[in-house]
Amino acid sequence: MGKTLDNVYKHQSLVYKYFLYVVTVALIVFFFPKEGKFKYDFQKGKPWQYENLYAPIDFSIKKTPEEIEEEQTSIRTNKTDYYTFDASVVVNVRKVVGEALNTSLQTSAYNPQQRSELLNLAQTVVDVVYTDGIFQEIPDSKAIAVVKNNEAQPLSPSNFLNLEKAKVKISETLSQANVLGSSAIGTVIQNSLAPNLFYNETLTESAINDQLSKISYTRGEVAQGKLIIAKGNIVEAEDFKILTSLRDEYESELWMGSNYYFILLGYLILVALVLIMLFLFLKRYRDEIFLNNNKVTFIFFNILLMVLATTLMVKHYESYIYVVPLCILPLVLKNFFDARLGLFVHVLTVLILGFVVPNSFEYIFLQIIAGIVTILTASELYKRANLFISVGQITLIYIIGYFAFHAIHEGNLDNIEWELFGVFVVNGLLTLFAQPLIYMFEKIFGLVSDVSLLELSDTNSKLLKELSDKAPGTFHHSLQVANLAEAAANEIGANAMLVRVGALYHDIGKMENPTYFTENQITNVNPHDDLPPKESAKIIIDHVINGIEIARKNKIPDRIIDFLRTHHGTTTVYYFFKKQQELDPEVDVDSFKYPGPIPFSRETAILMMSDAVEAASKSLKNPTFAIIDEFVEKIVKGQMQANQFLNANITLKEIEMVKKVLKLKLTNIYHLRVEYPE
């Protein structure tokens, strides 16, 4: 048991990676939608590449969302408006008319029989006018139903009456009666009229909803065994609808019973394979990152973040899947690591999402192309304009890609979903969130981005101000080295901002004993004259250790501290070694060597060359082109012979390019001119 625990402790880094791998695979599969995957991939307008397909089950042909929406629109457009017939209004009008006529006829010359006839005529006219009812205003709708005595009866537009039309109808009816005194009756009735048909919004909406609920979401059945499509046939619009219906039916039934466990196993295997590829890539090509659990966790966290966001969108808002700013992933990874890793992780993430998104080929194609554009265009993100330009190009790629796929599928430009262009614009705006996201990741995972490097390069920062006060010569030397190293990095395509910051801080350890370094000695007094060579060498070598301690106290990122550790590699403090050798021929050279490690990147190798060349150039007297050329060649050759660049991924061609830049810069520093003949 104890031996097992010891093995776990010794290999805890590897155990953590196994744990991270298993948890990530489990979480990704957990996020996936709980449905199977149709085994055929098809697109409208493309030939069917598989064998003849016969219906494996009975299924219904589903209507498209457009067809359903069209039916719903038709129902609302052709709806019947319901109006309630208020009988109490008619009773009230009859009463008012009767009272008014009784009063007026009492004082007239009519006998009782005539008065009775006129009253009956008036009530008859009122009943005629209110047979279908009177609207306040003539409705625009042509389909009207009047609810009278709890029964709805359709009303023809020819029978629509408002108060004005009702008054005309009263006059026409009385004129046809040809009764003495009808004009007086007409005036009384017209003055007493009131509308009695009122819009019943509740009943109208209820009727609409009832019709909407009766809409069928299918149109026809396909019997088991029926030929759906033959091999080589083009997937036409109708074929596409049938295949889509079969896919939906198949996927909904597949994730049931024992099928569930097989599908789950399949997802686990596929996701596990994809993430194994990531581990293999890191192990083979990015061993430094692979050995750093913090960086590995950061990469897996970003993959999980994108998978979670996309799967949630697939579950709830499938049509807006392109809102998820997947290009943030390569942006962030390129900013913290390199372009190749960023693109590789992006492609693997897109492959994982291809299992669950609709139109997977289209999705994978667009996302990979957008990722490549992101890698090719996004550089120096600390410059705000660069991010906006990159996001604009990404958005344009999405729009062009969608336009091309639509043209292929439809064969025309009809039915373009214009809202998708808005989705792509939203995607671009969300991609701009990469900047604050990078800042958050820096604080959470302790990583360094170009934005942080820009802040660290400020010579007014606390630590660099302290260096300029305590060791002004070293500060000036650091500035010169930074200029040389930055120019060399730009020449070979290395991270110029990183190497510049590393150069500015590489000698901060000299603040502990500034006068023991020649660039800070302002008099002819050299404190090394009073020290044995071995002790002098120790003071010189210790500036590396002191610098690392100072950097850690000031929370300088490890990525910058790497330059402090490696800028002398395992070279020898040759001057004091030779002095000690004169005193003791058997001296151990290892006690005069820097602790290392040797440079392990192009940037740290550039700094080593630039630092050595700049420091030694102070000893040049009356330099010429030939002297500078020989001088640089000698220093770099000595470093190569000491195997200082074995671990740095810098080629001989790049070293030659660096030497060329150093020679040119030194020539400019010493203001050399071409010597013209007299």
Side-chain angles (χ1 to χ4, degrees), residues 290-301:
F290 180 79
L291 296 174
N292 189 318
N293 283 341
N294 183 53
K295 293 179 179 179
V296 174
T297 304
F298 172 71
I299 294 171
F300 275 73
F301 174 79

PDB file of all heavy atoms in Angstrom, residues 290-301:
ATOM      1  N   PHE A 290       2.946  20.453 -22.022  1.00  0.00           N
ATOM      2  CA  PHE A 290       2.464  19.161 -21.514  1.00  0.00           C
ATOM      3  C   PHE A 290       2.907  18.942 -20.068  1.00  0.00           C
ATOM      4  O   PHE A 290       2.156  18.391 -19.255  1.00  0.00           O
ATOM      5  CB  PHE A 290       2.990  18.033 -22.403  1.00  0.00           C
ATOM      6  CG  PHE A 290       2.552  16.668 -21.965  1.00  0.00           C
ATOM      7  CD1 PHE A 290       1.276  16.200 -22.252  1.00  0.00           C
ATOM      8  CD2 PHE A 290       3.406  15.837 -21.246  1.00  0.00           C
ATOM      9  CE1 PHE A 290       0.861  14.941 -21.841  1.00  0.00           C
ATOM     10  CE2 PHE A 290       3.007  14.580 -20.835  1.00  0.00           C
ATOM     11  CZ  PHE A 290       1.721  14.130 -21.133  1.00  0.00           C
ATOM     12  N   LEU A 291       4.109  19.382 -19.729  1.00  0.00           N
ATOM     13  CA  LEU A 291       4.626  19.180 -18.372  1.00  0.00           C
ATOM     14  C   LEU A 291       4.044  20.173 -17.379  1.00  0.00           C
ATOM     15  O   LEU A 291       4.190  19.991 -16.168  1.00  0.00           O
ATOM     16  CB  LEU A 291       6.158  19.294 -18.379  1.00  0.00           C
ATOM     17  CG  LEU A 291       6.899  18.219 -19.195  1.00  0.00           C
ATOM     18  CD1 LEU A 291       8.390  18.524 -19.236  1.00  0.00           C
ATOM     19  CD2 LEU A 291       6.648  16.835 -18.621  1.00  0.00           C
ATOM     20  N   ASN A 292       3.384  21.202 -17.880  1.00  0.00           N
ATOM     21  CA  ASN A 292       2.810  22.235 -17.014  1.00  0.00           C
ATOM     22  C   ASN A 292       1.312  21.971 -16.845  1.00  0.00           C
ATOM     23  O   ASN A 292       0.508  22.238 -17.735  1.00  0.00           O
ATOM     24  CB  ASN A 292       3.040  23.619 -17.632  1.00  0.00           C
ATOM     25  CG  ASN A 292       2.674  24.742 -16.678  1.00  0.00           C
ATOM     26  OD1 ASN A 292       1.662  24.684 -15.992  1.00  0.00           O
ATOM     27  ND2 ASN A 292       3.493  25.769 -16.644  1.00  0.00           N
ATOM     28  N   ASN A 293       0.939  21.433 -15.703  1.00  0.00           N
ATOM     29  CA  ASN A 293      -0.470  21.070 -15.468  1.00  0.00           C
ATOM     30  C   ASN A 293      -1.397  22.273 -15.518  1.00  0.00           C
ATOM     31  O   ASN A 293      -2.560  22.166 -15.911  1.00  0.00           O
ATOM     32  CB  ASN A 293      -0.617  20.361 -14.118  1.00  0.00           C
ATOM     33  CG  ASN A 293      -0.151  18.920 -14.177  1.00  0.00           C
ATOM     34  OD1 ASN A 293      -0.048  18.336 -15.250  1.00  0.00           O
ATOM     35  ND2 ASN A 293       0.144  18.331 -13.030  1.00  0.00           N
ATOM     36  N   ASN A 294      -0.890  23.419 -15.112  1.00  0.00           N
ATOM     37  CA  ASN A 294      -1.706  24.629 -15.138  1.00  0.00           C
ATOM     38  C   ASN A 294      -2.103  24.979 -16.572  1.00  0.00           C
ATOM     39  O   ASN A 294      -3.257  25.306 -16.859  1.00  0.00           O
ATOM     40  CB  ASN A 294      -0.933  25.787 -14.507  1.00  0.00           C
ATOM     41  CG  ASN A 294      -1.767  27.053 -14.434  1.00  0.00           C
ATOM     42  OD1 ASN A 294      -2.876  27.056 -13.914  1.00  0.00           O
ATOM     43  ND2 ASN A 294      -1.233  28.139 -14.959  1.00  0.00           N
ATOM     44  N   LYS A 295      -1.148  24.874 -17.497  1.00  0.00           N
ATOM     45  CA  LYS A 295      -1.421  25.199 -18.895  1.00  0.00           C
ATOM     46  C   LYS A 295      -2.324  24.149 -19.538  1.00  0.00           C
ATOM     47  O   LYS A 295      -3.210  24.487 -20.334  1.00  0.00           O
ATOM     48  CB  LYS A 295      -0.106  25.336 -19.668  1.00  0.00           C
ATOM     49  CG  LYS A 295       0.723  26.537 -19.230  1.00  0.00           C
ATOM     50  CD  LYS A 295       2.026  26.642 -20.002  1.00  0.00           C
ATOM     51  CE  LYS A 295       2.819  27.873 -19.560  1.00  0.00           C
ATOM     52  NZ  LYS A 295       4.115  27.985 -20.280  1.00  0.00           N
ATOM     53  N   VAL A 296      -2.104  22.887 -19.204  1.00  0.00           N
ATOM     54  CA  VAL A 296      -2.960  21.824 -19.735  1.00  0.00           C
ATOM     55  C   VAL A 296      -4.396  22.026 -19.251  1.00  0.00           C
ATOM     56  O   VAL A 296      -5.357  21.895 -20.022  1.00  0.00           O
ATOM     57  CB  VAL A 296      -2.432  20.439 -19.321  1.00  0.00           C
ATOM     58  CG1 VAL A 296      -3.413  19.344 -19.746  1.00  0.00           C
ATOM     59  CG2 VAL A 296      -1.067  20.175 -19.945  1.00  0.00           C
ATOM     60  N   THR A 297      -4.546  22.360 -17.975  1.00  0.00           N
ATOM     61  CA  THR A 297      -5.885  22.624 -17.416  1.00  0.00           C
ATOM     62  C   THR A 297      -6.542  23.791 -18.129  1.00  0.00           C
ATOM     63  O   THR A 297      -7.742  23.758 -18.431  1.00  0.00           O
ATOM     64  CB  THR A 297      -5.783  22.924 -15.914  1.00  0.00           C
ATOM     65  OG1 THR A 297      -5.132  21.839 -15.249  1.00  0.00           O
ATOM     66  CG2 THR A 297      -7.163  23.130 -15.299  1.00  0.00           C
ATOM     67  N   PHE A 298      -5.770  24.812 -18.405  1.00  0.00           N
ATOM     68  CA  PHE A 298      -6.287  25.996 -19.105  1.00  0.00           C
ATOM     69  C   PHE A 298      -6.831  25.619 -20.484  1.00  0.00           C
ATOM     70  O   PHE A 298      -7.923  26.055 -20.875  1.00  0.00           O
ATOM     71  CB  PHE A 298      -5.175  27.033 -19.234  1.00  0.00           C
ATOM     72  CG  PHE A 298      -5.529  28.213 -20.089  1.00  0.00           C
ATOM     73  CD1 PHE A 298      -6.447  29.148 -19.649  1.00  0.00           C
ATOM     74  CD2 PHE A 298      -4.949  28.384 -21.337  1.00  0.00           C
ATOM     75  CE1 PHE A 298      -6.785  30.237 -20.441  1.00  0.00           C
ATOM     76  CE2 PHE A 298      -5.276  29.459 -22.127  1.00  0.00           C
ATOM     77  CZ  PHE A 298      -6.187  30.394 -21.683  1.00  0.00           C
ATOM     78  N   ILE A 299      -6.093  24.807 -21.219  1.00  0.00           N
ATOM     79  CA  ILE A 299      -6.524  24.391 -22.559  1.00  0.00           C
ATOM     80  C   ILE A 299      -7.811  23.579 -22.477  1.00  0.00           C
ATOM     81  O   ILE A 299      -8.777  23.826 -23.215  1.00  0.00           O
ATOM     82  CB  ILE A 299      -5.412  23.576 -23.250  1.00  0.00           C
ATOM     83  CG1 ILE A 299      -4.193  24.474 -23.518  1.00  0.00           C
ATOM     84  CG2 ILE A 299      -5.916  22.976 -24.559  1.00  0.00           C
ATOM     85  CD1 ILE A 299      -2.972  23.729 -24.000  1.00  0.00           C
ATOM     86  N   PHE A 300      -7.864  22.615 -21.554  1.00  0.00           N
ATOM     87  CA  PHE A 300      -9.059  21.773 -21.424  1.00  0.00           C
ATOM     88  C   PHE A 300     -10.251  22.601 -20.947  1.00  0.00           C
ATOM     89  O   PHE A 300     -11.394  22.350 -21.359  1.00  0.00           O
ATOM     90  CB  PHE A 300      -8.782  20.615 -20.464  1.00  0.00           C
ATOM     91  CG  PHE A 300      -8.144  19.432 -21.118  1.00  0.00           C
ATOM     92  CD1 PHE A 300      -6.822  19.471 -21.518  1.00  0.00           C
ATOM     93  CD2 PHE A 300      -8.867  18.277 -21.351  1.00  0.00           C
ATOM     94  CE1 PHE A 300      -6.230  18.392 -22.124  1.00  0.00           C
ATOM     95  CE2 PHE A 300      -8.289  17.179 -21.968  1.00  0.00           C
ATOM     96  CZ  PHE A 300      -6.961  17.235 -22.360  1.00  0.00           C
ATOM     97  N   PHE A 301     -10.005  23.567 -20.089  1.00  0.00           N
ATOM     98  CA  PHE A 301     -11.086  24.427 -19.602  1.00  0.00           C
ATOM     99  C   PHE A 301     -11.719  25.198 -20.756  1.00  0.00           C
ATOM    100  O   PHE A 301     -12.947  25.322 -20.840  1.00  0.00           O
ATOM    101  CB  PHE A 301     -10.546  25.399 -18.553  1.00  0.00           C
ATOM    102  CG  PHE A 301     -11.551  26.419 -18.092  1.00  0.00           C
ATOM    103  CD1 PHE A 301     -12.520  26.090 -17.157  1.00  0.00           C
ATOM    104  CD2 PHE A 301     -11.539  27.708 -18.603  1.00  0.00           C
ATOM    105  CE1 PHE A 301     -13.456  27.026 -16.737  1.00  0.00           C
ATOM    106  CE2 PHE A 301     -12.470  28.651 -18.189  1.00  0.00           C
ATOM    107  CZ  PHE A 301     -13.430  28.300 -17.253  1.00  0.00           C
TER     108      PHE A 301
END
